[in-house]
Amino acid sequence: MIFVQSTCVPLPIENVDTDQIIPARFLKATSREGFGQNLFRDWRYLPAVSGAATTPNPDFVLNNSLYSGQILVAGKNFGCGSSREHAAWALGDHGFKVVISSFFADIFKDNALNNNLLPLKVEEHFLQQLFEHIFADPNTLVTIDLENQQVQIEKSGLATTFDITPYKKTCLLKGYDDIDYLLSKSADTLQFERKQYKYYQAYA
Amino acid sequence: MNTLFDKVWDAHVVSGEPGFPTVFYIDRHFIHEVTSPQAFDGLRKRGLPVRCPQQTVATADHNVPTLNQHLPISEELSRLQVEALHRNCADFGVELYGLGHARQGIVHVIGPELGLTQPGMTIVCGDSHTSTHGAFGAVAFGIGTSQVEQVLATQCLLQTKPKTMKIAVNGTLGKGVSAKDIILYIISQISAAGGTGYFVEYGGSAIQSLSMEARMTICNMSIEMGARGGLIAPDDTTFEYMKGRPYAPKGVAWDQAVAYWRTLVSDDGAVFDAIRSYQAEDIEPMITYGTNPGMGMGITQHIPSQAVEAGPADMEKALNYMGLQPHQTLLGKKIDYVFIGSCTNARIEDLRVVAQFVKGRRKAPEVNVWIVPGSKQVEVQARAEGLFEVFAEAGFELRQAGCSACLGMNEDKVPAGKYCVSTSNRNFEGRQGPGSRTFLASPLTAAAAAVTGTICDVREMI
């Protein structure tokens, strides 16, 4: 079953931290919506001259009409730094369904999965091949089969597999979330609390 | 034979079944205004209460002004976000140490100072620097907002157990070298990604000799090498720090707690997935030159042409942003701002170190120096000890508690192109304001930069 088939947006930068994905000054909203407009804000727009409207940075890939799609392809250690889930919200709000990299920071990976954004880890060698294909032909289609955990660069036929836990795969395919599962375990939690409750009585 | 991490982790496993992650129990949940509103909204949508409000504590820190905190917040979005926190805490019965409260402050400063942070606990917060609390032998880590909602609703998270790494630092620190230099050194060796997937235990004689404040500085920056968290075995230094704090156990409960806490050490022969060892004597005052915390070096060294785990393009991009060249020394580099604050280095001990150094000195005329205490209690204590007079005489600008220029979310921003020596934890592009350029350093190195207006080797001034 195809999860996503799309062209890709290449971002061959390593250690993209969540401050770049969405700077702190845009975290003031109290809802989950609308963060996409500030995705990669300080790379995407030229430095603001006071009083002037924001000008897109023509050198940044999101402003390059050659590249579009639901798949962001980025350098290793994507999503490092701050735990802000707003980074995953901003990527999703912009229209990305998958981020492919050779390495993801732990917290970002969890946040992405909790928002139906697939962090897809591939070998560095495959990542570099993927970049080459995208730069050679921006219309390169990439197909992601979540059921079979396979990612394929169409035309070239190059493909590789990726890891995801069976639990998270089911969540993504069926739209479940962790709270439903955790709530279903509340009897276990209660039992744990009765057995293990060491301190809280003292000052609850 | 278990590691300290295994002991605490395993004691919090509620249940697990094949093919599913572990249901993992959380003892203490800290929340703040920026990463919690969507979580509370989620509870409302599902019609759920906060399961354990007595294990949940809130404060306002990330998005608060550090001047005139007695006045309404002038920036509308910030005010609305702080008001939402007040409303949510009132609606769901969560204790809030909000703006104006005597216990308000940076979440990772107030937890320990109130005794809320205790050995053997599992602690989470919607903030990556939650690793700070590991200094007490707690398993503490940052989470996203969906997970904040999960903990509010169920007091549990779904987790896969990370690997363990032991980092030993043995020997004696040289003059002018502090905990911040140790951790910047470690990260420069391991890289900004080298700890990913691991939970780190710090040990060795140089770590054991550190105060609690210094241990918190170390654990705080575990996330900057990608580690999920870092922790240090509790000992007499820990118990001495904790005793008598408002939320610490009292009387018989205290004795029982200490007896349990003393078991929280890695057993002899416990196996770690990775081990690193360093010598304290090899560490000099550190400074970062790039745009992630792994791009750091000893202050007398020259900027390398390649950092650990950073490709040539990555390095070129970073140095271009910083306006620096490979092989350049940073000694003598003129700077514009000094920021002394953040959950890394804004505790009373940090302020004392700075005050002791600047007493009788003045800041360089062209440099702006912000000193932002980590909490209201730190501020009160610093005033009582006369530190604020020292800072005022030195020409430092004294602010009120909050995250401030560490993340540039409120008004405290470094202007584009300007250089800031900062005691905070991240030198990312634009972290301290769009276009800002950050050099991470210890409080002592920052104080020396404030006085000379340049990056300098503080060892020559003490």
Side-chain angles (χ1 to χ4, degrees), chain A residues 13-15 17 19-20 24-25 27-32 35 42-43 76-77 80-86 89 103-107 110-111 114-115 166-167 177-183 185-186 188-190 192-193 196-200 203-204, chain B residues 11-12 14-15 17 19-21 25 27-28 34 37-38 41 46 51-52 54-55 63 75 78 81 118 126-128 142-147 149-150 154 156 158 192-193 196-197 228 247 260-261 292 309 311 314 317 407 409 426 428-429 431 434:
Chain A
I13 298 174
E14 296 174 358
N15 299 308
D17 59 77
D19 273 83
Q20 306 318 313
R25 62 188 190 280
L27 307 185
K28 297 184 182 187
T30 54
S31 75
R32 289 174 183 240
F35 290 103
D42 292 338
W43 287 348
K76 72 180 171 194
N77 199 25
C80 59
S82 158
S83 63
R84 62 189 68 167
E85 193 163 315
H86 311 66
W89 298 337
F103 198 88
F104 289 95
D106 285 333
I107 306 178
D110 282 353
N111 288 342
N114 280 332
N115 288 279
Y167 168 76
D177 74 22
D178 288 357
I179 289 196
D180 297 330
Y181 182 77
L182 286 166
L183 285 170
K185 299 288 167 192
S186 59
D188 290 350
T189 309
L190 195 61
F192 175 89
E193 284 172 331
Q196 300 278 343
Y197 228 38
K198 287 200 194 76
Y199 306 115
Y200 300 113
Y203 38 77
Chain B
H12 290 84
V14 172
S15 63
E17 50 190 320
F20 289 86
Y25 194 79
D27 293 325
R28 184 72 76 203
V34 177
Q38 296 87 351
D41 280 353
R46 294 172 198 258
R51 181 188 173 94
C52 303
Q54 78 280 12
Q55 287 165 237
N63 193 11
E75 214 266 336
S78 301
Q81 200 172 48
Q118 297 176 13
D127 186 280
S128 59
I143 56 176
T145 298
S146 294
Q147 292 170 314
E149 185 181 340
Q150 290 160 24
T154 71
C156 291
L158 285 175
T196 306
R228 211 51 218 282
Y247 284 87
Y260 168 57
W261 295 341
N292 73 52
E309 285 292 321
D314 205 22
K317 184 177 189 300
L407 83 165
M409 187 158 181
R426 289 188 173 133
F428 296 154
E429 286 185 30
R431 172 79 178 181

Side-chain angles (χ1 to χ4, degrees), chain B residues 121-378:
Chain B
M121 277 186 168
T122 51
I123 300 175
V124 294
C125 174
D127 186 280
S128 59
H129 294 111
T130 308
S131 56
T132 311
H133 307 268
F136 292 79
V139 166
F141 53 90
I143 56 176
T145 298
S146 294
Q147 292 170 314
V148 171
E149 185 181 340
Q150 290 160 24
V151 177
L152 289 174
T154 71
Q155 205 58 31
C156 291
L157 283 172
L158 285 175
Q159 289 288 300
T160 306
K161 194 173 179 179
K163 294 178 286 184
T164 53
M165 183 188 291
K166 173 79 186 263
I167 297 181
V169 185
N170 285 297
T172 309
L173 287 176
K175 183 181 78 164
V177 181
S178 68
K180 182 63 164 290
D181 301 304
I182 296 178
I183 191 65
L184 284 172
Y185 176 81
I186 292 171
I187 300 167
S188 75
Q189 301 290 311
I190 290 184
S191 90
T196 306
Y198 290 93
F199 221 96
V200 175
E201 180 181 342
Y202 302 95
S205 58
I207 300 289
Q208 283 160 355
S209 68
L210 295 174
S211 68
M212 287 317 294
E213 281 92 343
R215 293 179 191 186
M216 286 188 251
T217 300
I218 302 263
C219 290
N220 172 275
M221 290 191 70
S222 303
I223 183 71
E224 308 311 336
M225 57 180 126
R228 211 51 218 282
L231 76 178
I232 294 171
D235 58 13
D236 287 335
T237 305
T238 319
F239 311 142
E240 203 167 300
Y241 175 96
M242 289 185 63
K243 192 160 193 179
R245 294 193 180 260
Y247 284 87
K250 310 270 187 301
V252 178
W254 169 261
D255 296 334
Q256 288 170 343
V258 171
Y260 168 57
W261 295 341
R262 286 196 190 281
T263 69
L264 298 175
V265 291
S266 288
D267 298 327
D268 289 340
V271 177
F272 292 85
D273 297 301
I275 296 180
R276 301 277 198 135
S277 284
Y278 303 104
Q279 269 312 117
E281 290 80 4
D282 293 341
I283 306 174
E284 57 173 345
M286 294 288 294
I287 191 93
T288 63
Y289 53 81
T291 54
N292 73 52
M295 294 176 172
M297 63 181 186
I299 198 131
T300 61
Q301 295 180 331
H302 292 240
I303 296 173
S305 51
Q306 201 170 336
V308 181
E309 285 292 321
D314 205 22
M315 193 68 176
E316 189 184 332
K317 184 177 189 300
L319 293 185
N320 190 36
Y321 180 85
M322 290 296 291
L324 300 171
Q325 301 289 327
H327 313 299
Q328 185 182 343
T329 176
L330 284 177
L331 290 174
K333 175 82 186 166
K334 277 199 178 312
I335 52 116
D336 309 290
Y337 285 78
V338 171
F339 171 61
I340 295 166
S342 87
C343 58
T344 312
N345 280 125
R347 296 182 180 81
I348 188 67
E349 186 177 279
D350 300 312
L351 269 51
R352 284 183 193 137
V353 164
V354 173
Q356 194 186 1
F357 178 82
V358 300
K359 191 167 181 141
R361 292 175 158 127
R362 265 198 74 77
K363 75 169 184 75
E366 65 282 8
V367 176
N368 293 294
V369 185
W370 295 331
I371 189 149
V372 185
S375 72
K376 203 77 195 163
Q377 289 201 59
V378 170

Side-chain angles (χ1 to χ4, degrees), chain B residues 33-112:
Chain B
E33 74 277 26
V34 177
T35 59
S36 67
Q38 296 87 351
F40 282 109
D41 280 353
L43 294 186
R44 285 195 182 88
K45 277 187 197 131
R46 294 172 198 258
L48 293 169
V50 172
R51 181 188 173 94
C52 303
Q54 78 280 12
Q55 287 165 237
T56 315
V57 175
T59 192
D61 57 1
H62 281 65
N63 193 11
V64 299
T66 54
L67 290 173
N68 297 317
Q69 288 184 345
H70 62 290
L71 298 176
I73 300 174
S74 57
E75 214 266 336
E76 193 192 358
L77 286 175
S78 301
R79 183 169 49 76
L80 291 174
Q81 200 172 48
V82 172
E83 285 172 1
L85 182 69
H86 280 255
R87 195 168 53 247
N88 288 331
C89 289
D91 287 357
F92 288 90
V94 170
E95 184 85 62
L96 168 65
Y97 298 134
L99 211 53
H101 195 288
R103 291 177 171 179
Q104 179 266 341
I106 303 175
V107 62
H108 310 309
V109 176
I110 69 166

Side-chain angles (χ1 to χ4, degrees), chain A residues 8-204:
Chain A
C8 302
V9 176
L11 187 68
I13 298 174
E14 296 174 358
N15 299 308
V16 174
D17 59 77
T18 53
D19 273 83
Q20 306 318 313
I21 300 173
I22 184 145
R25 62 188 190 280
F26 300 110
L27 307 185
K28 297 184 182 187
T30 54
S31 75
R32 289 174 183 240
E33 288 79 39
F35 290 103
Q37 60 181 313
N38 292 313
L39 176 67
F40 294 117
R41 174 76 191 208
D42 292 338
W43 287 348
R44 195 168 157 191
Y45 298 97
L46 295 172
V49 181
S50 64
T54 46
T55 312
N57 174 4
D59 294 334
F60 188 62
V61 69
L62 287 189
N63 300 318
N64 185 338
S65 58
L66 281 177
Y67 302 103
S68 64
Q70 298 177 317
I71 303 170
L72 179 69
V73 183
K76 72 180 171 194
N77 199 25
F78 187 83
C80 59
S82 158
S83 63
R84 62 189 68 167
E85 193 163 315
H86 311 66
W89 298 337
L91 288 160
D93 192 41
H94 183 80
F96 289 117
K97 290 197 157 38
V98 180
V99 182
I100 300 178
S101 178
S102 55
F103 198 88
F104 289 95
D106 285 333
I107 306 178
F108 175 80
K109 190 166 61 184
D110 282 353
N111 288 342
L113 286 166
N114 280 332
N115 288 279
N116 296 317
L117 176 71
L118 176 65
L120 195 161
K121 186 182 166 187
V122 295
E123 294 293 326
E124 184 67 33
H125 179 64
F126 185 86
L127 182 72
Q128 295 309 326
Q129 285 181 319
L130 180 54
F131 276 131
E132 283 167 24
H133 277 88
I134 299 166
F135 286 123
D137 178 7
N139 295 316
T140 298
L141 273 179
V142 168
T143 304
I144 290 148
D145 176 344
L146 179 56
E147 187 73 48
N148 294 306
Q149 299 176 216
Q150 195 183 66
V151 51
Q152 179 161 329
I153 307 171
E154 295 300 328
K155 285 187 185 165
S156 79
L158 279 173
T160 189
T161 54
F162 61 90
D163 286 337
I164 183 168
T165 64
Y167 168 76
K168 271 298 168 192
K169 185 156 94 176
T170 306
C171 286
L172 284 178
L173 289 171
K174 300 197 171 170
Y176 298 162
D177 74 22
D178 288 357
I179 289 196
D180 297 330
Y181 182 77
L182 286 166
L183 285 170
S184 77
K185 299 288 167 192
S186 59
D188 290 350
T189 309
L190 195 61
Q191 198 181 7
F192 175 89
E193 284 172 331
R194 286 186 177 141
K195 203 172 64 185
Q196 300 278 343
Y197 228 38
K198 287 200 194 76
Y199 306 115
Y200 300 113
Q201 298 95 325
Y203 38 77

